[in-house]
Amino acid sequence: ILTQHLAKVGLCLFFLLLRRYFNMAVGKNKKTYKKKGGKKKVADTFARKEWYNVKAPAYFDKRDIGKTPVNRTAGTKLAADGLRGRVFEVALGDLRNDDDNKYRKFSLVCEEVYGRDILLNFHGMALTTDKLRSLVKKWQSLIEAFVDVKTTDGYVLRIFVIGFTDKQANSTKKTCYAQSSQARSIRQKMREVVASNANKLDLQKLVKRFITESISSDIIKATKRIYPLHNVFIRKVKIVKKPKIDTAKVYEMHGILASGGKKSGKTQTKGYEPAPVESV
């Protein structure tokens, strides 16, 4: 009887050890302690944002581009500092309510914050890729040129021009290729026309000429005697160097200040209250 009892006890111990071995090998030891700190609270990033109105310069027909968020002013970090230098890319068709100018993109940079409005200035211009691809065709010569110009208010711009040769009058040829000497002369004329337009104007008036494409028409007239051109465009404009920001000029560009430096009264800051009247 004693031997049978000892055999049962030994068998039970064997199965307990076997079970413990498999639990350690397969499931490992489950950690029973708790981690410090627990789960972090997920904060809504837009809870500390403010929305500002994006305003294009006054020489565009449509000035309200949209809205942009920025972190609220906290301590020494101002919301205006996070907005200055922000670049917005807008199609000219959206700025003029014109579907024919969707292929031209204007880059506008934030230079000043006025109340809840962001005041933008010209920062660059370019043609869309699909427009450029559609211009390149067979049986014609592509002529490109670029020149660095300086406006009267101190901006240095790099302007790229593109044009294509056109068939001459009374020509029966299938092609209209220009000779290398003609291409050189056309490039020189392009540089001269662009420089003569840009060096006499300030940035605001020069941008108006970009919008109306008057420089392209001047290039076509100037190069007509060398070789006729068509599809002449200002392909790209880059600002290489700019002067120190003049807040008064930015306000004047947006119609906040009149040309004499006085407030025009068209735009007022948030919370503006008129002066009290002495007598009724």
Side-chain angles (χ1 to χ4, degrees):
I1 293 170
L2 184 60
T3 54
Q4 287 179 357
H5 182 68
L6 289 173
K8 287 180 181 179
V9 171
L11 194 63
C12 290
L13 289 171
F14 173 73
F15 279 114
L16 285 172
L17 290 171
L18 194 66
R19 185 179 177 183
R20 186 176 179 184
Y21 169 76
F22 276 107
N23 283 340
M24 289 179 65
V26 177
K28 304 284 185 181
N29 275 338
K30 293 182 179 179
K31 296 177 180 178
T32 55
Y33 60 87
K34 293 182 180 179
K35 290 183 179 180
K36 291 182 180 178
K39 290 184 179 179
K40 291 184 179 179
K41 292 182 179 179
V42 179
D44 185 10
T45 53
F46 276 86
R48 54 195 180 97
K49 300 279 185 184
E50 287 179 338
W51 291 87
Y52 282 75
N53 303 314
V54 183
K55 294 279 186 180
Y59 47 77
F60 291 110
D61 296 336
K62 185 180 177 183
R63 297 196 56 206
D64 294 323
I65 295 174
K67 293 180 179 288
T68 185
V70 70
N71 289 336
R72 287 195 188 93
T73 300
T76 57
K77 289 186 178 180
L78 301 177
D81 293 338
L83 291 168
R84 290 189 185 95
R86 208 175 268 195
V87 179
F88 302 85
E89 193 174 84
V90 193
L92 181 60
D94 295 332
L95 293 169
R96 298 188 69 190
N97 294 319
D98 182 12
D99 292 336
D100 295 335
N101 286 296
K102 292 283 188 181
Y103 59 86
R104 283 197 284 171
K105 301 179 295 182
F106 273 75
S107 296
L108 304 172
V109 64
C110 171
E111 289 200 341
E112 194 57 56
V113 181
Y114 187 75
R116 279 300 180 95
D117 294 338
I118 298 173
L119 307 183
L120 304 182
N121 195 6
F122 179 79
H123 188 65
M125 190 191 80
L127 294 182
T128 57
T129 307
D130 60 319
K131 179 64 176 177
L132 283 172
R133 300 294 182 270
S134 67
L135 295 173
V136 180
K137 297 175 184 177
K138 295 191 293 184
W139 321 124
Q140 62 181 4
S141 297
L142 184 153
I143 300 172
E144 285 186 298
F146 74 92
V147 62
D148 288 353
V149 296
K150 188 173 183 179
T151 60
T152 55
D153 49 355
Y155 285 86
V156 178
L157 307 178
R158 184 165 294 154
I159 301 174
F160 299 80
V161 185
I162 189 171
F164 300 87
T165 54
D166 196 9
K167 281 189 177 182
Q168 294 177 334
N170 303 322
S171 176
T172 57
K173 287 183 179 180
K174 186 180 180 180
T175 61
C176 52
Y177 295 126
Q179 296 178 359
S180 58
S181 59
Q182 290 173 324
R184 281 196 298 272
S185 301
I186 289 170
R187 287 191 199 97
Q188 186 62 31
K189 279 288 181 184
M190 284 178 171
R191 295 189 193 100
E192 289 174 4
V193 171
V194 172
S196 63
N197 276 274
N199 291 332
K200 298 175 184 177
L201 303 172
D202 59 359
L203 182 67
Q204 187 173 346
K205 292 178 181 177
L206 184 59
V207 173
K208 289 179 182 177
R209 293 210 176 183
F210 293 153
I211 295 169
T212 57
E213 294 185 314
S214 61
I215 297 176
S216 300
S217 58
D218 290 345
I219 291 171
I220 292 171
K221 290 176 185 177
T223 58
K224 196 173 183 179
R225 291 185 179 182
I226 304 169
Y227 207 102
L229 296 179
H230 74 299
N231 287 338
V232 178
F233 294 98
I234 303 294
R235 181 177 66 83
K236 191 177 183 181
V237 180
K238 292 168 63 177
I239 290 185
V240 179
K241 192 177 180 182
K242 59 168 63 176
K244 192 176 180 181
I245 296 171
D246 188 355
T247 308
K249 281 188 177 180
V250 177
Y251 286 171
E252 187 180 330
M253 188 192 309
H254 284 263
I256 298 169
L257 290 180
S259 57
K262 297 179 181 180
K263 286 192 177 182
S264 63
K266 292 180 181 178
T267 309
Q268 296 171 342
T269 54
K270 189 178 179 181
Y272 170 83
E273 290 183 6
V277 181
E278 294 179 0
S279 61
V280 180

